[in-house]
């Protein structure tokens, strides 16, 4: 009877070791994923539009473009209504 108890204890211990060993294999995958993510962010980090304008100049440019767009839309609407 003691032998059966010891054998089941050893099996349980082996099972725990196997679980621990299986969970450790994910460490490499985690490092690979981290490196891939870092490469992706580095690729996209340098990309922003740099038009050399200050925020105030950009706001002025965008307002003028919006006014032009609204003007063209009003002209098209007037031409369609006539």
């Amino acid at each position: 009877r003691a032998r059966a108890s010891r054998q089941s204890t050893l099996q349980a211990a082996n099972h725990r070791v196997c679980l621990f060993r299986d969970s450790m294999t994910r460490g490499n995958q985690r490092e690979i994923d981290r490196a891939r993510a870092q490469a992706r962010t580095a690729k996209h980090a340098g990309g922003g539009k740099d038009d050399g304008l200050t925020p105030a100049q950009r706001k002025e440019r965008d307002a003028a473009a919006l006014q032009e767009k609204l003007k063209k839309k009003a002209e098209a609407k007037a031409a369609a209504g006539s």
Side-chain angles (χ1 to χ4, degrees):
R1 186 170 189 179
R3 185 178 218 191
S5 173
R6 181 189 293 171
Q7 192 173 19
S8 65
T9 304
L10 287 174
Q11 286 175 343
N14 274 344
H15 183 68
R16 273 182 268 151
V17 168
C18 289
L19 289 176
F20 178 71
R21 187 175 55 225
D22 290 342
S23 68
M24 290 301 290
T25 60
R26 294 267 316 138
N28 187 29
Q29 183 65 37
R30 201 172 290 130
E31 291 299 320
I32 291 170
D33 287 344
R34 190 173 291 134
R36 286 181 60 220
Q38 191 174 22
R40 259 194 319 270
T41 56
K43 182 175 125 180
H44 294 293
K49 293 182 183 177
D50 186 22
D51 49 9
L53 299 175
T54 65
Q57 290 171 329
R58 192 173 296 113
K59 186 176 180 180
E60 197 174 305
R61 180 198 63 193
D62 293 347
L66 182 61
Q67 290 299 319
E68 184 67 32
K69 183 177 178 180
L70 290 173
K71 182 180 173 184
K72 284 182 181 181
K73 190 171 183 179
E75 289 173 356
K77 188 175 180 181
S82 302

